[in-house]
Amino acid sequence: MPDLTLPAPAKLNLFLHITGRRPDGYHNLQTLFQLLDYGDQLDISLRSDSEIRLQPTLPGVPEQDNLVVKAARALQQATGARRGADIYLHKRLPMGGGIGGGSSDAASALIGLNHLWNCGLSRPALAALGARLGADIPVFVEARTAWAEGIGEQLQAIEMPEKWFLVLAPKCTVSTASIFSRRELTRDTTAITVAAFLERGGRNDCQALVAGLYPPVDEALRWLSQHSPAQMTGTGACIFAAFASAAQAQAVLAQRPAHIPGFVAKGINRSPVYDRLPMS
Ligand SMILES: C[C@](O)(CO)[C@H](O)COP(=O)(O)OP(=O)(O)OC[C@H]1O[C@@H](n2ccc(N)nc2=O)[C@H](O)[C@@H]1O
Ligand SMILES: Nc1ncnc2c1ncn2[C@@H]1O[C@H](COP(=O)(O)OP(=O)(O)OP(=O)(O)O)[C@@H](O)[C@H]1O
């Protein structure tokens, strides 16, 4: 039996506007991070030595590059924690899909190990530690559906209607860094207010570029758009559409082309991690 089991939920970017580029190359953006009740799971067991061991190894990701291991080491360094951990990662989320799998795994590792090692870091301190490893990690540490600005780390929790989402995961991996480095990317969208988004919606500034570069993304977008307004999340490759009920989303999922994997998940305002381990 592991000492602690924690979920690592996915997110969708309900819109993604790129409003500028910082001198360090990172992009200022506006987005709405919608958490989903679907994701990976981490089983964490304490070790008496200070080793961090992760199983299984993900295809193409050496153990030391896995964000879970990086997060655990960063926490050890920041706090002087001497204990180690064996972590088993049940991977369900497609990698490089724009649904934040690696970031969420890292956030759950930070939250779980902070608890098991008695490090005593507050949620904002853990989020700041996570931000150094990836722009999408803070929202999973804060564990709330949120409006985000800056590079994605300035967060404001927001209560959204809890809709159902059909997510299609075209069989390709999109590198976030490569999309953000493309010359053709539009980087000058005018900032909008939360109220304007809630009234009129928004778009994904990376979508046309990614669909042009990756035919499987284009195909999935075209197919899903026949049934409901479809959008890409993050820098892709996943795309999604919102439905009022699970049954409606499942009915469309059942009709999808057999070669496109997909799932249905509920949008949630609070991550299940928050309920497992409430903290300051
Ligand atoms: C596009 C989003 O998925 C929206 O949620 C995220 O902002 C990406 O977050 P992430 O995958 O955690 O990204 P990171 O691992 O921090 O960065 C990957 C690469 O994407 C680029 N990057 C990322 C976030 C950002 N606001 N501006 C950027 O330019 C940088 O080149 C960086 O080297
Ligand atoms: N635990 C992990 N799970 C998935 N990918 C990981 C993990 N650790 C490191 N990585 C690396 O990070 C890359 C991006 O992974 P991830 O699945 O988080 O992408 P993503 O869903 O596009 O994320 P985001 O929306 O945050 O940009 C992977 O291709 C992989 O090389």
Side-chain angles (χ1 to χ4, degrees):
M1 272 279 284
D3 292 310
L4 183 64
T5 291
L6 280 182
K11 59 85 177 166
L12 294 175
N13 297 96
L14 294 192
F15 79 103
L16 179 62
H17 289 177
I18 301 172
T19 54
R21 193 183 206 171
R22 304 194 317 193
D24 66 1
Y26 263 77
H27 290 74
N28 284 319
L29 45 86
Q30 287 189 306
T31 190
L32 202 153
F33 285 114
Q34 168 70 67
L35 300 182
L36 299 180
D37 73 343
Y38 181 92
D40 298 338
Q41 180 184 303
L42 271 68
D43 295 337
I44 310 178
S45 299
L46 280 170
R47 290 176 65 99
S48 46
D49 61 17
S50 60
E51 293 285 305
I52 306 294
R53 296 271 165 79
L54 179 70
Q55 280 190 306
T57 304
L58 298 179
V61 187
E63 193 173 331
Q64 71 273 11
D65 292 343
N66 195 298
L67 282 164
V68 169
V69 175
K70 286 184 162 180
R73 298 225 165 102
L75 186 63
Q76 280 179 328
Q77 277 202 336
T79 63
R82 296 218 182 108
R83 300 292 295 272
D86 287 313
I87 305 175
Y88 191 92
L89 174 59
H90 300 265
K91 196 79 200 159
R92 286 169 91 191
L93 298 173
M95 287 164 54
I99 54 178
S103 307
S104 189
D105 295 343
S108 291
L110 286 174
I111 293 170
L113 293 171
N114 182 51
H115 172 77
L116 288 174
W117 291 341
N118 289 315
C119 298
L121 291 194
S122 66
R123 203 171 276 274
L126 276 186
L129 187 58
R132 304 215 297 262
L133 300 171
D136 274 353
I137 297 178
V139 70
F140 292 111
V141 172
E142 295 291 351
R144 301 268 191 163
T145 284
W147 178 269
E149 300 195 356
I151 63 163
E153 87 297 6
Q154 293 167 24
L155 298 164
Q156 181 189 334
I158 183 169
E159 293 284 312
M160 294 296 288
E162 297 201 333
K163 293 183 183 162
W164 291 84
F165 293 92
L166 164 52
V167 181
L168 293 181
K171 282 188 185 151
C172 57
T173 297
V174 180
S175 150
T176 300
S178 78
I179 296 305
F180 274 119
S181 66
R182 299 290 295 210
R183 208 165 32 88
E184 314 92 288
L185 184 66
T186 312
R187 299 173 164 92
D188 59 356
T189 298
T190 307
I192 59 169
T193 60
V194 177
F197 167 73
L198 293 175
E199 206 181 302
R200 293 190 289 276
R203 63 173 187 275
N204 184 321
D205 282 338
C206 302
Q207 183 171 310
L209 176 63
V210 175
L213 292 169
Y214 295 86
V217 174
D218 189 49
E219 181 202 8
L221 269 169
R222 284 175 196 276
W223 184 83
L224 190 53
S225 299
Q226 296 169 345
H227 298 272
S228 187
Q231 230 193 89
M232 194 176 77
T233 174
T235 52
C238 290
I239 62 152
F240 65 92
F243 295 86
S245 72
Q248 285 171 330
Q250 290 288 0
V252 177
L253 180 71
Q255 296 171 52
R256 78 191 185 281
H259 63 280
I260 311 180
F263 60 88
V264 168
K266 190 174 184 212
I268 49 175
N269 287 316
R270 217 159 84 152
S271 158
V273 180
Y274 199 100
D275 299 318
R276 282 299 309 277
L277 284 183
M279 52 187 280
S280 58

